[in-house]
Amino acid sequence: MQYQTGNHTTRRATLAAFAAFAGLALTAPSAAAEPTQYPLTLQNCGETLTFDKAPSRTVAIGQSSTEILLSLGLADRIVGTAVWFGPVLEGYEEANAKIKRLADNDPSFESVLAQEPDLVTAEFEWHVGPNGSVATRKQFADLKIPSYVAPADCVAKDNSGGGDGVRKEMFNMSLIYQEIADMAQIFDVQEKGDALIADLKQREAAALASVAGAKAKGLSMVFWFSSPEVNGDAYIAGKNGTPAYIIETLGGRNVVTTEEEWPLASWETIAGANPQVIVVARMDRRRFAADDIDVKLNFLKTDPVTSKLDAVQKNQIVIMDSQAMNPTIRAVGGIEAVAEGIKKFGLVN
């Protein structure tokens, strides 16, 4: 059975039971959050940022960065966006359509500056960082434009070697909650930030509770994002990224043990591990040959090596939104997707 993810709704009715099972700190939003006191100073990825007032012209370089701002009700503060993998979160289509798309992939430094931003946010350091493809943080600082990089891409992570970097510690949703809390404080919308964090925590608890009777603790899994060449090596999730967090949270086992975020691995190597479940990324992006989900599925079923894998022969394949595989606000949706897949495959009592 192949299970395809769609959009995920929250499960509020049994929050207390889920919280007890998952052991998560599910706190209700504060009834009266303290307003931001400006000037506000906070630390972000080794930089000190100061805001005299809430930004009014933000450029968000990264789909997750944009979606966090949209989820906080800040669509009118976003004057540009870039780096997109697929459709915006359900419910924000109209708001997102009004925001200027600077580029589907990397925007130019000039296109960002043309929006006259008073804040630039980035999902990845490879766009805004020491060797940023868009600019360095110093370039923005020299123009008195604060830049904010998602904590999920800099905490306990080395991006100096290029590519997707090396993650020294496993990703955790607390990094996403930190970004939400920071944005809520910067824009003085703390109550919305508290509510968003509580909602995500409750969804995660619900997903965990749904597979509490899993038959196969230690279920082996592999996450395939894409491949530069369809018949070549594949970008497979390393041991500390978002997919690894999803696997560990659900009690499974990642067949990959490298600290690289997305190492290239041969299918012969993957076949040697013979994972019980394969999770493949679905995206609108068309940067690599295997970005297309139909290309991925056809390869798995027709290649002489992959077609022999147990997960392929039993059709234990989960199709997941690519952004749920990245350290983003959608990671909880990834937990939900794999949990639903495990249930559909008959791996839950």
Side-chain angles (χ1 to χ4, degrees):
M1 179 183 299
Q2 179 175 293
Y3 179 68
Q4 182 165 345
T5 68
N7 294 299
H8 308 290
T9 58
T10 60
R11 301 172 176 87
R12 293 184 173 83
T14 53
L15 174 58
F18 293 154
F21 167 75
L24 297 176
L26 303 181
T27 56
S30 171
E34 290 293 324
T36 300
Q37 299 296 315
Y38 299 102
L40 168 69
T41 299
L42 56 80
Q43 300 297 315
N44 169 245
C45 295
E47 301 284 339
T48 301
L49 306 181
T50 300
F51 299 89
D52 293 325
K53 60 181 180 179
S56 60
R57 300 183 60 82
T58 301
V59 171
I61 303 174
Q63 183 169 348
S64 181
S65 298
T66 306
E67 290 178 342
I68 285 175
L69 295 175
L70 289 173
S71 298
L72 290 172
L74 299 168
D76 61 338
R77 310 290 185 93
I78 311 171
V79 295
T81 182
V83 188
W84 283 75
F85 291 85
V88 71
L89 279 171
E90 184 181 16
Y92 297 103
E93 295 86 354
E94 184 176 351
N96 188 59
K98 297 176 182 177
I99 300 171
K100 186 173 183 178
R101 182 73 64 93
L102 305 183
D104 289 335
N105 292 305
D106 300 15
S108 68
F109 184 45
E110 291 73 20
S111 71
V112 174
L113 294 183
Q115 310 315 309
E116 300 181 350
D118 51 8
L119 172 63
V120 173
T121 64
E123 183 175 340
F124 301 110
E125 269 197 336
W126 82 60
H127 293 126
V128 179
N131 301 299
S133 63
V134 177
T136 64
R137 299 188 76 177
K138 184 177 186 303
Q139 283 176 281
F140 285 118
D142 288 346
L143 296 172
K144 301 192 183 308
I145 302 171
S147 62
Y148 181 97
V149 176
D153 200 55
C154 70
V155 174
K157 187 166 182 274
D158 181 4
N159 296 312
S160 64
D164 296 299
V166 175
R167 196 173 288 277
K168 298 298 185 181
E169 297 176 4
M170 185 174 290
F171 163 82
N172 188 285
M173 278 300 296
S174 65
L175 298 172
I176 302 300
Y177 302 148
Q178 180 64 57
E179 182 175 1
I180 293 171
D182 286 347
M183 288 297 113
Q185 188 175 24
I186 289 169
F187 287 93
D188 194 17
V189 290
Q190 285 89 332
E191 287 188 12
K192 291 181 179 179
D194 290 347
L196 178 57
I197 291 170
D199 181 65
L200 291 169
K201 286 183 176 181
Q202 120 181 5
R203 285 175 54 192
E204 182 172 359
L208 296 181
S210 74
V211 294
K215 294 178 183 177
K217 290 295 182 183
L219 190 72
S220 61
M221 304 182 197
V222 68
F223 280 61
W224 179 21
F225 194 84
S226 190
S227 302
E229 302 294 336
V230 176
N231 296 319
D233 293 350
Y235 285 115
I236 301 298
K239 73 173 187 177
N240 287 330
T242 304
Y245 173 76
I246 293 171
I247 293 169
E248 182 173 274
T249 298
L250 295 174
R253 176 175 63 84
N254 190 357
V255 302
V256 181
T257 59
T258 177
E259 291 182 338
E260 289 181 62
E261 187 88 338
W262 290 102
L264 274 172
S266 71
W267 283 105
E268 288 76 15
T269 300
I270 298 167
N274 197 20
Q276 295 166 275
V277 174
I278 298 175
V279 185
V280 295
R282 177 188 57 209
M283 67 189 81
D284 287 352
R285 187 193 76 171
R286 293 296 181 265
R287 188 173 187 176
F288 294 129
D291 282 353
D292 190 326
I293 186 62
D294 291 331
V295 170
K296 289 187 180 78
L297 295 177
N298 181 68
F299 172 80
L300 288 174
K301 294 172 182 177
T302 61
D303 179 78
V305 174
T306 60
S307 61
K308 302 297 191 298
L309 293 171
D310 287 348
V312 177
Q313 294 197 343
K314 294 178 182 179
N315 214 12
Q316 293 183 168
I317 300 171
V318 175
I319 300 174
M320 180 187 290
D321 166 34
S322 63
Q323 276 292 78
M325 291 189 186
N326 281 324
T328 69
I329 193 174
R330 297 197 187 208
V332 168
I335 295 172
E336 292 170 332
V338 177
E340 284 298 314
I342 291 173
K343 289 189 292 182
K344 292 287 185 178
F345 302 151
L347 298 173
V348 175
N349 295 327

